[in-house]
Amino acid sequence: MTRKPHVRKVYWNAPTMTWWERAYLFEILRGLLITGGVFLRNMGKWMTGRKGALTTYYPEETRADYAAGNRGKHILTQRPDGRPQCIACNMCATVCPAKVIEIDAAFDAGDLAHPKYPSRFEIDYSRCIFCGLCIEACPEDAIRMVKETPALPSGNRDHMWLNLTELINWHPQSDVAKPYPPRDAVGSTHPQRDAMAMPGGRRDEAASPYAVPAAAGKTGPAP
Ligand code: SF4
Ligand code: SF4
């Protein structure tokens, strides 16, 4: 049996490499010196309380320099009476490449103009890739993304879901395209929102006509 002759592989950059680079070990040491130097410099800044370390200690620290075009949070828009503008058509859930939107549709025979509404609307932020396709697909301008970021980091993926109440009650300051109903207006003309109001500006989800049944809970993947 004849053995195949050994042919040494020639890499694309071999002709331009110096003998120092060909020796390999020196370049490994140079890389370790660069990364070690950056690590020690940032560690020193952190230990002495100086600003300038390259990392942000998220979520304890929040970056102030997000780009103006950053879109890190979904909201569901409301009708003037406080109900969601969403008609539970499922187009956003269908187009979502990460399959992180879950919607249950319900029927309200008393609302002839918009009989279909979401009884459950949840987004799993642990898997959302913030591509914005759900916004593009929505025919009702019922879901939007704004530049704030949700305070959701957690060691448990089940805690990284936002439900219908959280998505609709979140009034961003950065989305000025649409006037939202006033949150705490005295003598509000929004009886449904008033019925859900709780001290501290929060809403009683159980009192909402769009509340998620307690038994259903959040349905995220196991941590
Ligand atoms: S931003 Fe993209 S990944 Fe996130 S929910 Fe919308 S379509 Fe899905
Ligand atoms: S948010 Fe828009 S696309 Fe998604 S179910 Fe509601 S109406 Fe349809």
Side-chain angles (χ1 to χ4, degrees), residues 126-140:
S126 70
R127 292 185 293 133
C128 173
I129 56 172
F130 302 97
C131 63
L133 286 176
C134 48
I135 317 301
E136 301 293 331
C138 181
E140 292 287 317

Side-chain angles (χ1 to χ4, degrees), residues 74 92 95-98 100-101 123 128-134 145:
H74 296 79
C92 54
V95 77
C96 175
V100 298
I101 302 179
I123 298 179
C128 173
I129 56 172
F130 302 97
C131 63
L133 286 176
C134 48
M145 292 181 82

Side-chain angles (χ1 to χ4, degrees), residues 19-30:
W19 71 267
W20 176 274
E21 290 167 333
R22 286 170 196 268
Y24 189 68
L25 196 58
F26 300 116
E27 285 297 285
I28 293 279
L29 290 174
R30 193 166 71 90

